[in-house]
């Protein structure tokens, strides 16, 4: 069984400051990892994904994440945030190669609030 | 590419009534997923289809819930005898065959009074 833990429910940050959102997962099989962003009253938009290859992945809007297999983590970072980055961010995992491949297990989310 | 669409965007119903939601995936996406999101939580998987075949249903999907994808294109999610605990955002997502990347619709927000 999988589980995804987002360690911070809310992260306040000043505009132009860096931000890091933490995500840890557990799974008995190999996983693919994703970060999604949700703006108020909207669906989820994919920020970035890790499937294989380089453990540092870059996504849209200046976000990047690093996969750490030994620590089972996939933390999301942005070096300088904008007011428009205020949103809810979700980490998600999917089993690789099982009958349930593709199905996403989400964390509880981290609300990022950017202030001037 | 018009993206995944869902209808209605909002639904208010009284307890005990039946409701039906529709999801139109991105054209030619074989897989279609339904998730439920309650306030302050991440989306939870409900069910998914590969073309018209429903391949898995979550234990969250009680007997009052049924989903269909009759021609492998749009899908419907019906909730019978709604309860207040059914109040949530219902999200639909689609993906191309053999892809792990899902594209989400805007969701249908259900409020049961």
């Amino acid at each position: 069984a999988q589980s995804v833990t987002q360690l911070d429910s809310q992260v306040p940050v000043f505009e132009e400051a860096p931000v890091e959102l933490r995500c840890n997962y557990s799974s008995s099989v190999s996983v693919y990892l994703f970060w999604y962003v949700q703006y108020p009253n909207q669906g989820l938009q994919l920020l970035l994904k890790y499937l294989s290859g380089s453990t540092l992945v870059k996504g849209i809007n200046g976000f990047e994440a690093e996969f750490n297999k030994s620590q089972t983590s996939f933390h999301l970072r942005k070096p300088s945030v904008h007011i428009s980055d205020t949103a809810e961010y979700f980490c998600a995992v999917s089993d690789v190669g099982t009958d349930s491949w593709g199905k996403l297990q989400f964390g509880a989310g981290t609300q990022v609030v950017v202030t001037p | 590419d018009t993206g995944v669409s869902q209808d209605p965007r909002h639904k208010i119903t009284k307890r005990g009534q039946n409701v039906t939601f529709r999801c139109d995936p991105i054209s030619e996406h074989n897989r279609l997923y339904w998730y439920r999101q309650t306030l302050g939580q991440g989306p939870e998987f409900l069910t998914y289809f590969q073309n018209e075949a429903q391949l898995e249903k979550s234990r969250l999907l009680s007997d009052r819930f049924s989903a269909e994808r009759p021609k492998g294109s749009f899908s419907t999610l019906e909730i019978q005898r709604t309860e207040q605990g059914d109040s949530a955002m219902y999200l639909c997502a689609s993906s191309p065959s053999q892809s792990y990347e899902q594209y989400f619709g805007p969701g249908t927000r259900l409020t049961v009074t």
Side-chain angles (χ1 to χ4, degrees):
Chain A
Q2 302 165 327
S3 69
V4 181
T5 303
Q6 291 186 240
L7 296 159
D8 307 291
S9 59
Q10 189 170 60
V11 173
V13 57
F14 288 111
E15 193 175 16
E16 298 183 7
V19 70
E20 179 180 79
L21 308 184
R22 297 177 293 168
C23 173
N24 287 91
Y25 69 93
S26 67
S27 178
S28 55
V29 300
S30 295
V31 296
Y32 290 158
L33 296 145
F34 305 83
W35 276 98
Y36 283 86
V37 60
Q38 186 175 35
Y39 300 102
N41 300 312
Q42 295 188 25
L44 279 72
Q45 180 182 5
L46 181 66
L47 276 178
L48 48 77
K49 60 183 183 285
Y50 173 79
L51 304 182
S52 64
S54 172
T55 57
L56 182 64
V57 293
K58 296 188 183 298
I60 62 171
N61 300 340
F63 285 93
E64 63 180 31
E66 186 153 19
F67 170 56
N68 188 318
K69 188 174 181 179
S70 63
Q71 296 188 3
T72 60
S73 67
F74 190 53
H75 301 333
L76 179 72
R77 302 184 185 96
K78 185 170 181 177
S80 175
V81 297
H82 303 292
I83 297 288
S84 59
D85 292 322
T86 294
E88 185 114 30
Y89 293 80
F90 293 98
C91 181
V93 301
S94 176
D95 282 349
V96 178
T98 67
D99 289 343
S100 296
W101 74 266
K103 181 176 75 173
L104 292 173
Q105 174 78 35
F106 286 88
T110 297
Q111 178 69 43
V112 172
V113 180
V114 182
T115 53
Chain B
D1 180 2
T2 57
V4 178
S5 61
Q6 293 186 245
D7 184 68
R9 294 290 307 277
H10 304 274
K11 178 70 177 178
I12 300 174
T13 191
K14 293 185 176 180
R15 185 166 52 93
Q17 298 294 305
N18 299 342
V19 294
T20 300
F21 310 141
R22 177 180 169 124
C23 171
D24 286 88
I26 294 172
S27 179
E28 298 182 356
H29 277 194
N30 301 92
R31 285 206 161 196
L32 186 148
Y33 300 82
W34 285 99
Y35 295 85
R36 181 171 70 186
Q37 185 179 21
T38 53
L39 204 61
Q41 298 297 319
E44 296 172 294
F45 169 79
L46 292 179
T47 188
Y48 80 96
F49 294 83
Q50 173 85 23
N51 298 312
E52 65 275 9
Q54 188 173 18
L55 296 186
E56 186 174 340
K57 294 191 293 185
S58 163
R59 286 170 294 177
L60 293 174
L61 219 61
S62 75
D63 293 345
R64 297 184 296 105
F65 288 71
S66 62
E68 295 182 341
R69 193 182 184 197
K71 296 183 180 179
S73 57
F74 72 92
S75 175
T76 58
L77 178 68
E78 181 183 15
I79 309 174
Q80 297 182 328
R81 305 181 303 281
T82 52
E83 301 172 357
Q84 286 189 321
D86 297 331
S87 295
M89 175 79 87
Y90 290 84
L91 295 166
C92 175
S94 69
S95 69
S97 181
Q98 301 304 315
S99 172
Y100 284 76
E101 189 167 333
Q102 295 182 27
Y103 298 81
F104 281 81
T108 294
R109 182 168 295 284
L110 172 66
T111 302
V112 181
T113 60

